[in-house]
Amino acid sequence: MLQVNFIKENKERVLNGLKIRNYSEDQLGVIDEVIAVDELRKSTQTELDALLFERNSLSKEVGALYKAGKRDEADGIKAKVGQLKEKVETLQQQLKDKTEALANLLYTIPNVPHESVPGGNTDEDNEVFQAWEKDLPTLTETALPHWELAKKYDLFDLELGNKIAGAGFPLYRGQGAKLQRALINFFLDEAAAAGYEEIIPPLLVNETTARATGQLPDKEGQMYHAEKDDLYLIPTAEVPITNIYRDVILKESDFPIKLTGHTPCFRREAGSYGAHVRGLNRVHQFDKIEIVQIEHPDKSYETLNVMLEHVKSLLNKLELPYRILRLCGGDLGFTAALTFDFEVYSAAQKRWLEVSSVSNFETFQTHRMKLRYEDANNKKHLAHTLNGSALALARIFAALLENNQTEHGIKIPKALQAYTRFELIRNK
RNA sequence: GGAGAGUUGGCCGAGUGGUCGAAGGCGCACGCUUGGAAAGCGUGUAUACCUCAAAAGGGUAUCAAGGGUUCGAAUCCCUUACUCUCCGCCA
């Protein structure tokens, strides 16, 4: 969430940012509301602090008077302090209310988009940041979409997944399962080679954790919730991994912190339907390797580029055609300041599939998380967080099947063969 | 799941109603000392918010979390969480 002081000092910038996110004039009122509530909060605290000061000083006197044996005098002061009590309680309640009201307002305000974020409403308006310059693969008339290929080669089974869990929970088997595992290991090894420390985090997280990275309250309905224990199934490894550094004060020399992790990701995807969700295009559970960096604010955009390069190299090694989009204001996530999406071309479906999202959150997450660093003058500042998928498996898997299908079987890209230990997925 | 013990600052650890944001030690930083280092000596060393144009200064809160008793709570009471030990269950 944004800091009140930041909003006050950069009001125009914040308002413009919200406009890029297509806020109406009416909705922009929230900014003035925040400022007003904060003024009330401050004046309440000033009043309360003065009252508490009085109470504390008088109470100290009582102690001293008792020691000196002056009971009567002490009792007089006791009565006086007793009278303050009601007012203290009222003010304390008010302060609590105001603080809460402020927090609730701030929770509704999304991050300020980076200056490069274009306007626009939907994913149609995203800017093609890097197009695919070479020819797109073309397949024969008889080419199959991945869900058909899965049947032909027995790679995954949606019906069985449905039987066991429900729609959108794929079950991989045989060479399909092996290909999944190969991709996971490949991505993790590549991340390790790029200097990321591997983490295996919990797959369920508590409310504080989900709130810190901004999934709550914004994406409440998108996460699976184990109500009995009040835990959320992670929608991405970003959540538990970034939270490692919640409430931490770093030294400048600690930067950059680079973490990676493979986890399944669980998403309810409420409201999704239609042809675009066929097969593995949109599922409730998929595997993803996430890369996370915690950076010095001066370097975070440089680091964002480095992360883009990492994802590019993965796709190049997998020999998949891809393009990079810069998300427009309307498509940009609530917590992100700047996001680049990677899409791979699915030749059989003749469409682009999103396989990675690389974002800079600046201080939006670190403010909630209280993740700070200390500069040379011992001043504390909020750090920047970044993360990206490197990569999300289900759609990569789909694209690999479709693009590499031949009449003899499905070719495995060279870089992956060391992991799969087969070069071709053949009909049984 | 049951029983018991515990949770204090970066770490260890003292502290059972007032002068305690908290002794002492370790660590860390700076200075003195030294040819240099170690040792020694000295000084400093939490976070957030409010106030102040800013700094200085002042104030408030925080001893796991929340609530209560009291003029006053690290200290007493209640609730919750977590940790450890034992039992149960179990990969």
Side-chain angles (χ1 to χ4, degrees):
Chain A
M1 86 181 128
L2 298 176
Q3 302 168 85
V4 184
N5 285 340
F6 178 84
I7 293 177
K8 276 189 194 163
E9 285 160 25
N10 303 278
K11 193 172 158 188
E12 280 313 304
R13 211 183 125 196
V14 173
L15 287 172
N16 286 334
L18 292 179
K19 284 179 195 159
I20 292 280
R21 287 183 184 267
N22 306 312
Y23 267 53
S24 68
E25 280 304 316
D26 258 12
Q27 291 171 307
L28 291 178
V30 71
I31 294 303
D32 282 326
E33 208 181 336
V34 160
I35 293 172
V37 171
D38 189 52
E39 288 306 323
L40 277 174
R41 186 200 113 246
K42 287 200 315 202
S43 60
T44 309
Q45 183 172 347
T46 306
E47 204 182 333
L48 174 63
D49 282 358
L51 209 59
L52 287 173
F53 176 50
E54 194 182 343
R55 188 193 73 181
N56 290 346
S57 338
L58 289 174
S59 292
K60 269 179 200 167
E61 271 181 55
V62 172
L65 287 171
Y66 269 127
K67 261 191 188 151
K70 298 178 184 167
R71 289 200 154 266
D72 289 349
E73 235 175 289
D75 286 342
I77 297 178
K78 262 165 83 165
K80 207 167 148 192
V81 182
Q83 285 167 6
L84 296 177
K85 199 167 185 171
E86 205 176 316
K87 197 156 183 209
V88 166
E89 275 170 12
T90 312
L91 283 172
Q92 275 173 338
Q93 189 56 46
Q94 275 178 24
L95 181 62
K96 206 172 158 185
D97 291 347
K98 301 269 152 51
T99 308
E100 210 177 292
L102 181 65
N104 286 336
L105 279 176
L106 288 172
Y107 276 135
T108 67
I109 302 175
N111 203 353
V112 179
H114 185 259
E115 57 185 8
S116 67
V117 171
N121 287 309
T122 67
D123 53 4
E124 310 265 305
D125 302 317
N126 292 334
E127 168 197 317
V128 177
F129 175 71
Q130 184 182 315
W132 182 251
E133 303 291 354
K134 292 173 238 171
D135 290 337
L136 288 172
T138 47
L139 299 170
T140 60
E141 292 282 311
T142 55
L144 298 171
H146 66 271
W147 53 88
E148 299 289 345
L149 291 166
K151 281 189 183 142
K152 184 171 172 187
Y153 297 103
D154 211 9
L155 301 176
F156 65 85
D157 192 325
L158 293 172
E159 283 78 22
L160 268 182
N162 185 32
K163 174 184 175 184
I164 296 163
F169 289 92
L171 178 146
Y172 297 90
R173 67 191 315 168
Q175 285 184 298
K178 285 197 164 68
L179 179 54
Q180 282 276 322
R181 186 153 55 84
L183 283 164
I184 292 166
N185 284 332
F186 170 66
F187 292 144
L188 283 174
D189 283 355
E190 291 290 312
Y196 292 87
E197 181 194 358
E198 184 174 343
I199 303 288
I200 301 181
L203 304 181
L204 280 79
V205 296
N206 58 34
E207 188 187 325
T208 309
T209 297
R211 204 166 270 282
T213 32
Q215 277 67 31
L216 287 177
D218 181 50
K219 288 184 178 158
E220 171 108 53
Q222 289 297 326
M223 284 191 291
Y224 286 97
H225 186 199
E227 284 185 30
K228 207 161 183 176
D229 297 290
D230 200 16
L231 294 169
Y232 293 86
L233 276 73
I234 57 168
T236 158
E238 160 199 345
V239 179
I241 289 181
T242 312
N243 267 276
I244 293 172
Y245 285 91
R246 191 174 74 225
D247 289 319
V248 168
I249 300 177
L250 299 163
K251 296 191 284 273
E252 278 184 294
S253 56
D254 292 331
F255 292 125
I257 288 169
K258 303 170 78 176
L259 304 169
T260 186
H262 154 247
T263 67
C265 300
F266 303 94
R267 299 186 182 180
R268 294 187 61 228
E269 302 291 2
S272 303
Y273 58 89
H276 282 187
V277 307
R278 284 203 73 175
L280 296 178
N281 288 348
R282 180 160 302 198
V283 286
H284 291 308
Q285 178 184 331
F286 61 94
D287 288 81
K288 179 160 64 66
I289 286 74
E290 187 79 357
I291 50 176
V292 172
Q293 292 217 39
I294 297 167
E295 248 305 6
H296 192 286
D298 293 347
K299 290 202 182 144
S300 67
Y301 279 96
E302 203 180 303
T303 296
L304 184 65
N305 281 331
V306 173
M307 291 169 77
L308 290 181
E309 290 303 319
H310 180 73
V311 175
K312 280 188 207 173
S313 79
L314 297 178
L315 291 169
N316 286 335
K317 286 180 185 175
L318 291 178
E319 302 165 45
L320 287 169
Y322 64 91
R323 63 177 188 180
I324 306 175
L325 304 176
R326 190 202 302 266
L327 295 197
C328 72
D331 207 24
L332 186 66
F334 188 81
T335 52
L338 178 60
T339 297
F340 292 97
D341 272 7
F342 283 74
E343 296 184 331
V344 297
Y345 190 69
S346 155
Q349 299 182 72
K350 295 194 172 62
R351 52 186 284 244
W352 295 91
L353 296 177
E354 182 193 334
V355 293
S356 176
S357 197
V358 184
S359 307
N360 189 349
F361 301 91
E362 298 190 1
T363 59
F364 197 82
Q365 295 182 325
T366 53
H367 179 223
R368 284 194 197 179
M369 274 200 287
K370 298 198 186 69
L371 164 48
R372 289 160 293 173
Y373 69 93
E374 204 172 57
D375 68 17
N377 302 315
N378 293 325
K379 291 261 187 217
K380 273 88 190 164
H381 309 275
L382 294 172
H384 281 193
T385 53
L386 305 99
N387 67 52
S389 356
L391 287 158
L393 281 209
R395 292 178 190 157
I396 286 283
F397 188 94
L400 278 178
L401 299 190
E402 293 182 7
N403 294 10
N404 296 339
Q405 58 185 301
T406 69
E407 52 184 304
H408 311 293
I410 297 166
K411 286 185 301 184
I412 302 295
K414 246 197 166 62
L416 262 189
Q417 289 175 9
Y419 292 90
T420 54
R421 306 214 194 123
F422 50 80
E423 295 168 25
L424 202 64
I425 296 175
R426 288 172 204 279
N427 218 331
K428 288 203 284 193

